[in-house]
Amino acid sequence: MLYYSEVQTFKKTWTGSLALTLKDGRKLSFAGFTKTDGATMPTIFEEALETYRQRGFQPHTSQSQENLCSHCFECIPKGEYKCEQCGQDFWTPAQVARRSLIFPSWGDFLLGHTGLACFELIGYMFTLFALAIVTIDAILRGQPIEAVVVPVLSLVVLHAFDAFITYFVARKGLHPRK
């Protein structure tokens, strides 16, 4: 959730997306608006922003972009992963990243990014197939060290990269545990 009081600038970019700059320096970009909405939204937003400024609307915030509980809509402080109001638990970025480290795409399934997770899973299966071919080829050429080292290093790098990306995606918000 963003309060109007936390927004410094709101403008349309040359690509058609809408760009926000928050008081804490964070920048957000939103795309996918129709041409008409994209053209009128900055004006409407600036008018609303001016109205809130004139009225002195300055709610207490812990950060420019507040996290809301998806169950009761209560503000959850930064770094907290349990709602005090209703008891809803949320995944921490580290928990999700560890699962992606064990098995790529697991973290994305937990975050609810099913399409991305399926795409990742298909890519992972192709990678396993390619590594199996490399391993068989190395064994047939009589190079047992290459047959082990190349697949193991490839899998370590692949799993670590997926965990790293999943961690940074999970940090962007709260994701409920079911």
Side-chain angles (χ1 to χ4, degrees):
M1 177 179 71
L2 300 171
Y3 286 115
Y4 281 111
S5 60
E6 293 297 311
V7 177
Q8 276 191 318
T9 62
F10 183 93
K11 58 186 169 186
K12 185 176 176 183
T13 66
W14 67 274
T15 62
S17 63
L18 300 171
L20 284 168
T21 303
L22 304 178
K23 281 186 177 178
D24 64 4
R26 198 165 169 198
K27 295 180 181 188
L28 302 173
S29 180
F30 301 94
F33 296 104
T34 64
K35 192 173 187 175
T36 305
D37 289 343
T40 59
M41 199 174 289
T43 306
I44 294 168
F45 183 84
E46 289 295 335
E47 289 171 3
L49 185 58
E50 186 56 36
T51 301
Y52 280 104
R53 284 183 180 150
Q54 288 174 357
R55 292 182 181 169
F57 181 69
Q58 292 289 329
H60 172 73
T61 58
S62 63
Q63 55 190 340
S64 284
Q65 184 178 359
E66 293 285 356
N67 291 318
L68 296 181
C69 175
S70 55
H71 186 258
C72 69
F73 304 110
E74 192 68 30
C75 281
I76 302 197
K78 187 175 184 175
E80 296 287 323
Y81 295 96
K82 184 171 178 115
C83 179
E84 298 269 332
Q85 184 75 19
C86 69
Q88 174 71 49
D89 283 323
F90 299 93
W91 291 104
T92 68
Q95 290 171 329
V96 176
R98 279 194 299 272
R99 282 162 175 78
S100 279
L101 185 63
I102 294 167
F103 186 76
S105 76
W106 186 6
D108 289 308
F109 278 116
L110 292 176
L111 296 177
H113 305 154
T114 309
L116 175 64
C118 289
F119 183 72
E120 232 175 62
L121 191 57
I122 291 168
Y124 185 64
M125 293 302 153
F126 277 116
T127 302
L128 289 178
F129 180 72
L131 288 174
I133 291 171
V134 168
T135 302
I136 292 168
D137 181 56
I139 290 170
L140 292 175
R141 287 185 288 118
Q143 298 179 339
I145 293 176
E146 183 182 325
V148 174
V149 172
V150 171
V152 168
L153 283 177
S154 298
L155 289 175
V156 166
V157 169
L158 179 67
H159 286 236
F161 181 73
D162 187 60
F164 179 77
I165 297 295
T166 303
Y167 176 82
F168 282 98
V169 169
R171 284 183 49 201
K172 292 186 175 192
L174 295 175
H175 307 279
R177 295 178 78 145
K178 295 180 179 161

